Amino acid sequence: MMELDLSGFESCPLFPGGVVADHGENPLAAASFQLPACSDFDGFQKDAIQMTKPAKGTTTLAFVFKEGVIVAADSRATMGGYISSQSVKKIVEINPHMLGTIAGGAADCQFWHRNLGIKCRLHELANKRRISVTGASKLLANILYSYKGMGLSVGTMIAGWDEKGPGLYYVDNEGGRLKGTRFSVGSGSPYAYGVLDSGYQFNMSVEEAAELARRAIYHATFHDGASGGVASVYHVGPQGWKKLSGDDVGELHYKYYPMILTPTEQEMADTSAA
Amino acid sequence: MALRGDWVYENNGGTCVAIAGSDYCVIAADTRLSVGYSIYTRDYSKICKLADKCVLATSGFQGDMKALQKNLAARHLIYQHQHNKQMGCPVMAQHLSNTLYYKRFFPYYTFNILGGLDSDGKGCVFTYDAVGSYERVGYSAQGTGAGLIIPVLDNQLKSPSPLLLPAKDAVTPLSEVEAVDLLKDVFASATERDIYTGDKVEIVVINASGIRQELMELRKD
């Protein structure tokens, strides 16, 4: 009798309440999550997060329109009040037809997105066809749900074009998974929603949609201290994803926030031009 | 936090810095180990050579640093047995990220910088947070003196972001000698204003001809 292939089901061989192994006992054994041996797990996690201040803070957005999906994000990472990086890649390329976004804990998102990419590839090899956006988002959501309550911070969007057309899902560390047409995630999301919602039309061209996304990210970085750096915009179409633009938001400021010169300043600008 | 009966961490202070160039990489770290207001030793190396072209500098809790270095060295040995070659720098970078993340719920209290040469011989520096998020950058500083050093490096070395499209070339224009001088300068300045940084700075330079090390004295007060 043919043996059933269950490798695709093995979403999480690691259990939260796992055995506390001796550290460094057997380097050849598969790595697993060690847990601190203490009675107050939640308190320990709270203190550990406060101590290590993992990098986070962000604005990301994605929306579905006539020509596919637009995905955009800023590139700033903060540790407490310190800007730890202005060049973080927040849009991860899971495969040539699917993108994921990073918001929340940088390490959590990077690790689990890499893990998702591996699982998607294994699915392709096992089933001889690319995984759907529905499937990929479900894999990630199930993993995150199994770690629910342990302090992971992940607010991600999975965007892609599969056999059913453009797909967009929002997945978070609470185990929530929502299918939708318009999402923005992160500390700057309220500002991005304002611009995105007021300018959105289903029948936009790719250039118009990219411009809307770029504006929305710019305005979010303007008001939110934890967002900034470079605004990247990607488009996912039937042929796969393509990066459309990467602009420093400092430069975008002069494009989107024109200064209204007072009469004196206008005179000075005119004379220096003359 | 330290009031908890079961708190196992301690910050031993110190600063690490790395700069990547077109064909070299320099990594430096001070050699002071402190606990609170006491200096335990003035002669403690925070730098560990993991592979031929790959060096790790770590600040934070030195107990976790030692454990992490041992772990990585052991895994590297296994890799060499299995693949018949040394781990390249980008390979070690991802491996370190995974090693840190596997202790996500009981973190290594370490702030790491990995430096070396990639397969094209170009300098690379990878910077990490305590739980494994990482990024390839042109320069980085971690530790108690990082806040004093990074603004100076930003001023001298800041290059166009790799995320910009159309892409702009992002190579550090400094030569190896200039980079080492810059490192000496920033450590001398950080020593003036950070109580945990001082005594000596250990500078490691990796280039095509190999790895060389030099020590420079810093203020001991």
Side-chain angles (χ1 to χ4, degrees):
Chain A
M1 203 163 84
M2 193 175 75
E3 206 170 69
L4 292 172
D5 165 37
L6 297 169
S7 59
F9 284 36
E10 245 190 312
S11 66
C12 181
L14 314 160
F15 290 93
V19 176
V20 180
D22 257 15
H23 180 67
E25 197 178 62
N26 179 7
L28 276 175
S32 59
F33 284 106
Q34 285 180 334
L35 299 175
C38 66
S39 48
D40 173 25
F41 184 81
D42 290 327
F44 185 92
Q45 289 303 317
K46 210 170 108 191
D47 289 338
I49 295 289
Q50 226 185 355
M51 170 187 74
T52 57
K53 285 202 260 292
K56 52 181 355 200
T58 215
T59 309
T60 60
L61 61 85
F63 57 88
V64 177
F65 70 118
K66 183 182 62 164
E67 307 276 359
V69 195
I70 293 284
V71 183
D74 74 318
S75 68
R76 176 175 288 187
T78 50
M79 282 167 66
Y82 177 72
I83 296 173
S84 55
S85 174
Q86 287 274 63
S87 54
V88 177
K89 263 194 87 169
K90 296 195 187 175
I91 300 179
V92 294
E93 298 138 8
I94 298 169
N95 67 42
H97 289 252
M98 213 172 348
L99 296 173
T101 59
I102 291 185
D108 292 334
C109 291
Q110 275 186 7
F111 182 87
W112 291 113
H113 272 283
R114 195 184 304 141
N115 188 272
L116 179 64
I118 293 169
K119 291 200 160 48
C120 289
R121 179 66 184 140
L122 288 172
H123 176 100
E124 271 180 36
L125 292 169
N127 299 97
K128 269 199 154 168
R129 58 186 237 171
R130 220 178 277 120
I131 193 171
S132 62
V133 182
T134 317
S137 59
K138 193 84 176 184
L139 276 177
L140 183 61
N142 285 152
I143 294 170
L144 295 177
Y145 181 75
S146 66
Y147 289 97
K148 189 175 166 73
M150 297 190 67
L152 292 186
S153 173
V154 173
T156 181
M157 296 181 285
I158 307 289
W161 189 297
D162 57 25
E163 282 164 9
K164 291 213 176 78
L168 177 62
Y169 282 83
Y170 163 77
V171 178
D172 71 16
N173 55 275
E174 301 292 322
R177 173 173 165 267
L178 300 172
K179 184 174 161 78
T181 50
R182 231 181 300 165
F183 287 114
S184 176
V185 184
S187 49
S189 63
Y191 308 106
Y193 270 129
V195 175
L196 181 58
D197 289 342
S198 57
Y200 177 82
Q201 306 268 358
F202 183 77
N203 294 317
M204 283 187 287
S205 70
V206 176
E207 290 76 32
E208 287 171 333
E211 181 66 7
L212 178 65
R214 200 174 304 123
R215 265 182 193 275
I217 295 288
Y218 158 73
H219 282 284
T221 60
F222 186 75
H223 281 286
D224 176 31
S227 301
V230 168
S232 303
V233 181
Y234 283 66
H235 170 244
V236 190
Q239 316 300 348
W241 57 258
K242 180 165 183 275
K243 181 161 181 177
L244 295 178
S245 70
D247 301 290
D248 188 312
V249 298
E251 313 274 322
L252 289 180
H253 176 77
Y254 295 106
K255 224 174 107 181
Y256 296 141
Y257 215 88
M259 242 175 41
I260 301 159
L261 297 169
T262 64
T264 333
E265 286 169 330
Q266 186 64 51
E267 238 179 70
M268 284 168 62
D270 287 341
T271 34
S272 55
Chain B
M1 291 184 284
L3 297 173
R4 295 175 64 97
D6 55 5
W7 197 244
V8 294
Y9 298 107
E10 190 175 79
N11 187 353
N12 298 123
T15 310
C16 306
V17 185
I19 300 177
S22 51
D23 61 349
Y24 66 86
C25 180
V26 293
I27 300 111
D30 72 321
T31 60
R32 175 177 288 181
L33 191 142
S34 335
V35 177
Y37 285 125
S38 305
I39 297 176
Y40 277 12
T41 177
R42 299 189 189 274
D43 221 344
Y44 192 82
S45 174
K46 298 188 182 63
I47 298 185
C48 171
K49 178 185 152 188
L50 293 174
D52 259 351
K53 304 279 177 189
C54 194
V55 164
L56 176 70
T58 313
S59 65
F61 173 39
Q62 294 306 320
D64 272 347
M65 180 198 90
K66 269 275 172 294
L68 180 64
Q69 281 174 2
K70 283 184 181 178
N71 206 328
L72 293 173
R75 289 284 319 167
H76 184 226
L77 192 56
I78 294 168
Y79 181 95
Q80 285 180 77
H81 286 311
Q82 288 177 340
H83 296 90
N84 199 24
K85 63 177 180 180
Q86 300 249 340
M87 262 197 200
C89 208
V91 177
M92 184 64 85
Q94 184 162 307
H95 179 238
L96 173 56
S97 171
N98 285 330
T99 306
L100 291 170
Y101 197 81
Y102 278 123
K103 293 256 290 161
R104 168 65 174 75
F105 301 117
F106 188 4
Y108 285 109
Y109 185 18
T110 55
F111 298 97
N112 300 283
I113 306 181
L114 190 79
L117 301 178
D118 65 13
S119 48
D120 299 322
K122 285 208 223 120
C124 57
V125 170
F126 293 90
T127 191
Y128 295 78
D129 75 351
V131 280
S133 109
Y134 80 113
E135 195 197 340
R136 181 170 178 173
V137 288
Y139 58 88
S140 175
Q142 296 272 19
T144 49
L148 298 165
I149 293 177
I150 277 270
V152 178
L153 296 182
D154 279 338
N155 176 267
Q156 297 289 310
L157 300 173
K158 189 158 164 87
S159 53
S161 170
L163 297 172
L164 289 173
L165 194 73
K168 291 206 191 110
D169 196 24
V171 177
T172 299
L174 288 188
S175 72
E176 188 186 300
V177 179
E178 287 173 326
V180 173
D181 278 344
L182 178 60
L183 276 185
K184 290 179 178 171
D185 279 338
V186 294
F187 264 95
S189 304
T191 306
E192 296 288 328
R193 296 287 180 174
D194 176 27
I195 61 171
Y196 295 113
T197 303
D199 295 328
K200 285 196 277 282
V201 57
E202 187 186 353
I203 303 176
V204 172
V205 183
I206 308 173
N207 53 27
S209 26
I211 302 188
R212 85 160 197 278
Q213 191 207 37
E214 59 180 280
L215 282 169
M216 185 184 88
E217 298 289 325
L218 294 171
R219 285 180 68 115
K220 300 182 191 322
D221 60 358

